[in-house]
Amino acid sequence: QSDFTPWSDLLTTVAGLTAKNINLSYLKVDAAEQSIKINGLAVRRDDLLDFKQQLENTARFKNIDLPVKNILEKENINFEITAKINRQ
């Protein structure tokens, strides 16, 4: 089963990277595209940038995209992050 992706491990990874000042409201995993979309609310811009950095630092994700419009506000930021999933 070389195409098997352990989705529970992926979700556990995302949960472990999510700091207390980041509230996730939507998470979509696309198995066909091997991608993930995360929507949520960050208390501060620095929290959001730290979360993006955490995602970049893990081998689970690549091509992480956080549109600039998501970091224009300083506080209470609604955000959307998309990324490709690295198969492990």
Side-chain angles (χ1 to χ4, degrees):
Q1 288 190 358
S2 61
D3 336 358
F4 176 74
T5 302
W7 300 117
S8 60
D9 290 349
L10 182 83
L11 297 175
T12 300
T13 298
V14 172
L17 298 174
T18 306
K20 66 178 181 171
N21 290 336
I22 299 287
N23 296 303
L24 303 182
S25 58
Y26 178 84
L27 189 128
K28 178 182 178 186
V29 177
D30 186 326
E33 294 292 322
Q34 288 292 296
S35 65
I36 188 168
K37 179 178 176 180
I38 304 168
N39 291 13
L41 178 71
V43 174
R44 294 174 303 151
R45 182 187 308 150
D46 288 345
D47 299 323
L48 180 54
L49 293 173
D50 288 346
F51 181 54
K52 180 182 184 260
Q53 187 65 52
Q54 290 293 324
L55 293 170
E56 290 173 339
N57 289 344
T58 182
R60 295 291 285 164
F61 305 106
K62 61 184 177 182
N63 302 336
I64 296 157
D65 182 43
L66 174 65
V68 173
K69 69 176 185 171
N70 289 309
I71 56 172
L72 295 177
E73 297 295 325
K74 289 185 178 184
E75 295 179 336
N76 298 317
I77 305 161
N78 287 303
F79 68 87
E80 177 180 303
I81 293 176
T82 57
K84 291 291 187 179
I85 299 167
N86 276 325
R87 302 188 96 169
Q88 294 194 344

